[in-house]
Amino acid sequence: MHSSTASRRLAGLASLLLLAASLVGPPGSAAQAAPGIAPPGNQALADRLAAAVTGDAVYRHLAALQLIADVSGGNRAWDRVGFTRSADYVSSLLTAAGYRVVKQTVPYTNFEISTERLTVTGAAVNSPPVLMTRFAPSTPAGGIDAPVVSPAVGRTGCDASDYAGLPVAGSVVVLARAACGYSLQQRIAAGLGARAVLLYYDTPSPENSYRFFAFNPADFTIPVASVSQRDGEELVRASRVGTVRVHLTLVGRSVARTTVNVLAETAGGDPNNVVLLGAHLDSVPEGPGINDNGSTAATVLQAALALAGQQHSVQNKVRFAWWGAEEMIDVGSGYYVSTLSAKERQRIAAVLNGELIAAPNDARFVWDPGTGGSHVIADLFGGYFDRRGLPYQRTGPESVGSDHLMFQDVGIPVGGLDGGNLGVKTPAQQALFGGTAGQMFDHCYHQTCDSLTNINRKALGANAPALAWVLGRLASDVRDVRAASTTAG
């Protein structure tokens, strides 16, 4: 980017922040209410919030997050300036709306990658580039040069017998991620003497590349990285008809860092019945993260602004959270939960979350464990969608790895929805939701193309008000959630 272009975009960002602040109005004003919304009173808070948290209102915040990514190297990752600017954007609007904002400092171990490079017979693979697995071992600084080996046709690399007769020792193994897990695939290859593993994800979008994560670093003894399915399959085909050599350089290290959670809550409301609505604010470094998870983060922001004028009169205390470093596996939310005392955890009646709620080939999944307070929350979402004739499917809360699981793990009821990510839409889901069977729900998940143009505005316009409606319902009454949680416990 030319410096003059960057200056213009930064000036545009500053103007956008000032304009957004002016739209919010002075603290304590009624400017937060959307046009046509009746003033507070006996009218259901849930209906008022749903009417104020429209897809168009949320989209304006997404446009701001896209602009932030544009002037921040193309992303809003947890350890980059784009995340800091996103946190400042959220904080500035909350402060202008009359909230007391807290930025909670979160210590964590980052994995900083300095080099990830792959060449095949001298030609660089960079569109998309090779992606080093976080917390896996590095290659030597100068890289490794080795022939490519792949398991026999129809074999997954989940068992040593899959490599029978192949010269694995000293090679770089290339294979598709399998159901047995890439940790095991790596251990099998390493046990046979491989020097590194290149993985690819088999999807209907073969040009995509997905970064992997060494959840248990001790299990990883050789360097591991990912390539696109297109590049991986090309390497496999070439290795089966002749010798193919690659030069692979992967250098990364663990570093102690801090990020932040942005937190705000209503001034009023019963502090012993807290309803928390949150979303992660960070993207992956590979893209701007406008659907994942700007779509929900912007919805949480709009819900907070819509509630600001009524924050002194709400029945139950409402807490809003924008988590840091979710893409490093729920770092921000995990730290937040770990700092809560047992009494503080008991005060949280319900936690709401969402993921990728504006997917281009969308579905609508409501998280439901089938029992307890979380099941009551799922029924609230289900009732909302039923009354509006909007289709949905129920799925377990664990179907999406995200911040709500940190709360579920300590016994707090959770609820929410997602629009699908790495999954592939089935014919039955096409019949239910529309879209295209055989394609990913979001082909831009964790890709550069997860930008404003990736947003499904129809899905956003249906799902954002649903989150706001359930928030309003719980802000008014959590007795059924509390009762079900007690019974289940």
Side-chain angles (χ1 to χ4, degrees), residues 313-337:
S313 58
V314 69
Q315 181 69 31
N316 298 316
K317 187 171 287 293
V318 177
R319 187 171 299 158
F320 300 99
W322 293 263
W323 309 116
E326 186 271 353
E327 297 292 2
M328 283 293 285
I329 316 303
D330 305 333
V331 165
S333 55
Y335 179 78
Y336 176 82
V337 171

Side-chain angles (χ1 to χ4, degrees), residues 367-369 395-402 404-405 408-409:
W367 305 334
D368 184 4
T395 186
E398 298 85 0
S399 63
V400 174
S402 188
H404 60 287
L405 299 179
Q408 178 178 269
D409 287 347

Side-chain angles (χ1 to χ4, degrees), residues 37-396:
I37 301 302
N42 294 326
Q43 180 186 353
L45 177 61
D47 291 336
R48 293 199 300 272
L49 287 183
V53 183
T54 64
D56 287 345
V58 173
Y59 189 83
R60 287 192 286 272
H61 298 304
L62 292 179
L65 295 180
Q66 179 66 63
L67 181 55
I68 288 170
D70 289 343
V71 301
S72 306
N75 67 78
R76 302 181 302 101
W78 62 91
D79 57 350
R80 311 287 176 86
V81 68
F83 176 78
T84 300
R85 288 169 173 162
S86 298
D88 289 345
Y89 174 77
V90 170
S91 299
S92 66
L93 294 184
L94 293 172
T95 300
Y99 287 103
R100 176 179 172 269
V101 179
V102 174
K103 287 184 177 179
Q104 180 186 36
T105 300
V106 178
Y108 74 106
T109 300
N110 200 21
F111 190 78
E112 298 183 355
I113 299 169
S114 58
T115 308
E116 42 189 8
R117 184 182 307 118
L118 173 67
T119 61
V120 181
T121 59
V125 175
N126 53 23
S127 184
V130 63
L131 300 175
M132 182 179 185
T133 297
R134 295 192 183 280
F135 296 103
S138 296
T139 66
I144 58 175
D145 189 89
V148 168
V149 167
S150 182
V153 175
R155 301 286 185 165
T156 61
C158 293
D159 189 273
S161 63
D162 292 346
Y163 296 96
L166 295 173
V168 179
S171 72
V172 170
V173 170
V174 180
L175 69 174
R177 178 183 177 181
C180 69
Y182 55 86
S183 177
L184 176 60
Q185 290 175 291
Q186 173 269 160
R187 289 203 303 274
I188 296 296
L192 294 173
R195 298 182 67 187
V197 171
L198 290 176
L199 293 158
Y200 61 89
Y201 215 123
D202 190 354
T203 76
S205 298
E207 71 281 2
N208 288 359
S209 184
Y210 302 94
R211 190 183 299 279
F212 296 104
F213 196 103
F215 291 98
N216 186 0
D219 289 341
F220 288 73
T221 58
I222 58 176
V224 179
S226 53
V227 293
S228 69
Q229 178 183 347
R230 179 195 63 206
D231 291 333
E233 290 181 339
E234 185 175 325
L235 278 171
V236 169
R237 284 193 297 268
S239 71
R240 287 176 177 156
V241 297
T243 300
V244 178
R245 298 191 71 86
V246 298
H247 192 90
L248 178 65
T249 308
L250 304 169
V251 181
R253 64 189 184 111
S254 298
V255 182
R257 290 283 186 260
T258 61
T259 185
V260 297
N261 294 324
V262 180
L263 305 166
E265 65 181 25
T266 56
D270 184 354
N272 292 313
N273 283 317
V274 175
V275 180
L276 190 155
L277 173 62
H280 73 86
L281 189 56
D282 60 315
S283 75
V284 293
E286 288 74 40
I290 301 303
N291 187 34
D292 180 23
N293 195 26
S295 57
T296 310
T299 297
V300 177
L301 177 56
Q302 183 59 26
L305 298 180
L307 189 60
Q310 304 163 48
Q311 64 166 308
H312 292 274
S313 58
V314 69
Q315 181 69 31
N316 298 316
K317 187 171 287 293
V318 177
R319 187 171 299 158
F320 300 99
W322 293 263
W323 309 116
E326 186 271 353
E327 297 292 2
M328 283 293 285
I329 316 303
D330 305 333
V331 165
S333 55
Y335 179 78
Y336 176 82
V337 171
S338 74
T339 63
L340 296 174
S341 66
K343 187 174 183 179
E344 288 170 329
R345 291 178 184 177
Q346 291 171 0
R347 287 174 172 164
I348 301 177
V351 170
L352 303 177
N353 187 26
E355 282 280 355
L356 299 95
I357 63 172
N361 191 28
D362 73 306
R364 186 171 294 108
F365 299 107
V366 172
W367 305 334
D368 184 4
T371 187
S374 296
H375 177 61
V376 172
I377 298 171
D379 280 347
L380 293 177
F381 278 104
Y384 176 90
F385 292 130
D386 286 340
R387 288 188 295 274
R388 287 154 183 81
L390 294 170
Y392 61 94
Q393 290 184 330
R394 297 186 187 232
T395 186

